[in-house]
Amino acid sequence: MDPRLHQVIEHDDVDELHRLIVEDQKFLDRVSEDPFPNTLLHIAAAAGKIQVAMEVAILKPEFARKLDPEGYSPIHLALQHEHYQTARALITLDPELIQVRGRRGITPLHYVAGKEGDNELELLAEFLSVCRSSIEDLTSRCETAVHVAVKNHNLKAFKVLFGWLRRVCLTRILNWKDQDGNTVLHIAAFEGQTEIIKLLIGYTNVNVKNFQNRTALDIFQVNPHFDEAVASRLHPRSTSTLSLSQYFSSELSVFEKYSNFFGIQDEATRNMVLVVATLIATATYQAILSPLGGYWQDDSSNPPANSSSVITANSSGIAIEKPHQAGNIIITGSQLYSFAYLNGTAFVASIASIAVVAISLWPHTLIIYFSLTILSLAYCFFLVIEFPKSDRVVGTLLYEFFGMLLGTTLALPIPMWLRHIRVVSRVDATWRRLSNILGSKG
């Protein structure tokens, strides 16, 4: 290396670095011509020279992802030499540096998950917060950061990872397997880590077997740290497991057939249907709140003088009206029936369209189903109370008719989905992203 670079790094001198670049503009490029270069950024990061490291990372962002001959990126080197402030500084430029795989596929997240110490714990929490997807990165042995923490008996790091996974609803990662087919629960049983086992029960599948066809209980029973109380909670449940090939070979469930039939796969079409259906639902709901002709503002119990008119005159010439209550719809008879039927049909169709689109996204759209149910109940309620007494029978019939349609549309998928999820929860898959394939949390 040019002796002048040693001076730049030793004194963390950014100005001198730029003077060298002015003298030779290809200076930094010449250093990185090797397939696995030991760039100025690698050297500065290993030495903890933040200013030079940041300046080079800004000038040459690609250096931050390059591996040196030993298989380490600059952020790996900063962590190995415990220059944590340098590592923090680098990820402010590019949070995805946390996902750079070095030797054996180890990322910076894997590295800090295997190290003990308060500084490493804080860095682990920061990495998770800054780059959520880093938790899905695997080493060359198909290990997640949780695997690494447990294998290194790093209880504090495991608790950080476990708590974060629960907060972001990613506990399904606890069931991912390494290259030997071991989940985190299997490894904890191997190592006799009873405290970790207790935490994992309820969040992992105790029925899962590794590639040696052993469950966590089978492994734990021969461990010197065997605990009968813990073992009793590891007993496999009565339901049998299915391999991924067995699951794919089985017939489609009723829910899968239902969602395939009604689901819309094209995203642009789905968005268009949702927008139009939402506008129709809004318009029809507003129409039932503000119908044509409006509402009566007062009560009247005068008998009708003419069934075909709203306002008539009695023998004394005093104007009288049909009997009504304040809040009733003014229009009556066939006009009211036609309005209520057509408006209700449009409302049901729009709600059904939204529900159909939401089916393919279950269970994440359950809150939408709940909202649609409340909206439907409110619509039917308004439909009944706004009808005048003279038309109350027709209003009740319409309420029952539309209520049945809405109830069937919204409630039918629920029992089908519950049966489907019971089957999916039995699948023992080595494929890490099974939940994405099946479209469910299972």
Side-chain angles (χ1 to χ4, degrees):
M1 181 181 291
D2 191 319
R4 293 174 299 177
L5 281 182
H6 285 291
Q7 294 297 319
V8 168
I9 294 172
E10 182 179 351
H11 299 290
D12 205 10
D13 192 343
V14 174
D15 293 333
E16 181 63 23
L17 171 65
H18 279 281
R19 277 193 290 270
L20 293 176
I21 295 173
V22 170
E23 292 177 8
D24 182 1
Q25 295 186 14
K26 294 184 178 180
F27 169 69
L28 292 177
D29 292 325
R30 197 172 293 114
V31 179
S32 63
E33 289 176 352
D34 296 332
F36 297 97
N38 192 23
T39 69
L40 181 58
L41 179 55
H42 288 80
I43 299 170
K49 303 301 182 180
I50 297 179
Q51 300 305 319
V52 171
M54 290 292 286
E55 197 68 19
V56 176
I58 292 170
L59 295 171
K60 293 290 183 180
E62 64 272 19
F63 284 8
R65 293 179 173 272
K66 289 184 178 292
L67 303 181
D68 68 9
E70 294 187 357
Y72 299 120
S73 71
I75 193 170
H76 283 94
L77 294 171
L79 292 172
Q80 288 174 14
H81 292 86
E82 298 186 359
H83 299 309
Y84 298 141
Q85 292 303 104
T86 304
R88 286 186 173 97
L90 289 173
I91 64 173
T92 61
L93 297 179
D94 184 2
E96 292 184 0
L97 292 178
I98 297 168
Q99 296 185 273
V100 174
R101 287 184 172 89
R103 183 190 289 190
R104 298 189 180 91
I106 294 175
T107 67
L109 183 70
H110 292 120
Y111 183 84
V112 295
K115 293 292 181 180
E116 295 184 1
D118 294 338
N119 291 327
E120 288 80 2
L121 282 180
E122 289 303 317
L123 206 57
L124 174 62
E126 289 175 27
F127 283 0
L128 292 170
S129 301
V130 170
C131 188
R132 169 173 169 158
S133 58
S134 62
I135 193 65
E136 297 188 7
D137 294 329
L138 306 175
T139 68
S140 59
R141 292 183 55 84
C142 300
E143 299 163 328
T144 65
V146 192
H147 284 98
V148 173
V150 177
K151 286 183 178 181
N152 285 276
H153 292 258
N154 196 345
L155 178 60
K156 290 183 178 179
F158 171 80
K159 287 184 175 180
V160 171
L161 290 161
F162 183 62
W164 182 80
L165 288 172
R166 287 187 297 170
R167 283 174 171 82
V168 297
C169 300
L170 285 176
T171 53
R172 65 177 184 274
I173 288 175
L174 297 171
N175 285 314
W176 288 9
K177 297 181 178 181
D178 63 14
Q179 70 176 19
D180 298 318
N182 293 316
T183 66
V184 177
L185 184 61
H186 288 110
I187 296 170
F190 270 121
E191 304 292 340
Q193 301 182 64
T194 55
E195 187 171 352
I196 291 179
I197 294 174
K198 291 176 183 177
L199 291 172
L200 288 172
I201 292 174
Y203 293 94
T204 56
N205 188 349
V206 296
N207 292 335
V208 171
K209 297 181 179 180
N210 62 13
F211 294 156
Q212 288 74 46
N213 203 35
R214 302 171 69 191
T215 64
L217 178 61
D218 298 332
I219 296 168
F220 190 59
Q221 284 177 331
V222 297
N223 192 284
H225 298 90
F226 177 77
D227 186 315
E228 185 64 42
V230 175
S232 64
R233 301 173 63 186
L234 284 174
H235 277 286
R237 297 175 180 86
S238 58
T239 55
S240 59
T241 58
L242 296 173
S243 69
L244 191 57
S245 61
Q246 289 174 325
Y247 175 78
F248 286 158
S249 300
S250 64
E251 286 291 325
L252 294 178
S253 67
V254 177
F255 176 79
E256 288 172 322
K257 293 178 181 178
Y258 186 87
S259 59
N260 288 344
F261 181 79
F262 288 106
I264 301 174
Q265 302 302 322
D266 181 67
E267 185 175 356
T269 304
R270 184 165 60 241
N271 291 338
M272 181 179 66
V273 170
L274 283 174
V275 170
V276 174
T278 302
L279 289 174
I280 295 174
T282 303
T284 52
Y285 190 81
Q286 183 61 36
I288 200 66
L289 296 178
S290 304
L292 296 173
Y295 301 97
W296 291 110
Q297 301 300 313
D298 57 358
D299 295 333
S300 174
S301 58
N302 293 322
N306 188 325
S307 61
S308 62
S309 62
V310 174
I311 302 178
T312 60
N314 61 12
S315 56
S316 304
I318 301 174
I320 60 174
E321 302 167 338
K322 285 188 175 183
H324 58 262
Q325 290 182 329
N328 286 159
I329 298 175
I330 292 178
I331 60 172
T332 57
S334 60
Q335 291 180 328
L336 176 59
Y337 307 152
S338 299
F339 164 76
Y341 178 77
L342 293 175
N343 189 75
T345 301
F347 179 79
V348 171
S350 63
I351 294 296
S353 299
I354 298 173
V356 163
V357 171
I359 286 173
S360 60
L361 304 175
W362 273 41
H364 309 293
T365 51
L366 285 176
I367 186 64
I368 295 177
Y369 262 70
F370 177 76
S371 301
L372 292 176
T373 302
I374 299 300
L375 184 66
S376 301
L377 289 173
Y379 181 91
C380 293
F381 178 73
F382 281 121
L383 194 65
V384 171
I385 64 172
E386 290 177 352
F387 267 63
K389 285 184 177 180
S390 58
D391 300 301
R392 188 58 54 85
V393 174
V394 176
T396 302
L397 291 175
L398 288 173
Y399 164 80
E400 293 175 351
F401 174 69
F402 290 127
M404 182 179 64
L405 286 179
L406 290 167
T408 302
T409 300
L410 297 174
L412 186 60
I414 296 177
M416 294 190 296
W417 178 74
L418 291 174
R419 286 194 293 270
H420 168 72
I421 208 65
R422 279 198 293 268
V423 174
V424 171
S425 63
R426 294 167 50 203
V427 178
D428 177 9
T430 57
W431 179 245
R432 308 302 184 284
R433 292 166 180 81
L434 174 65
S435 59
N436 295 338
I437 296 174
L438 303 180
S440 70
K441 286 184 178 177

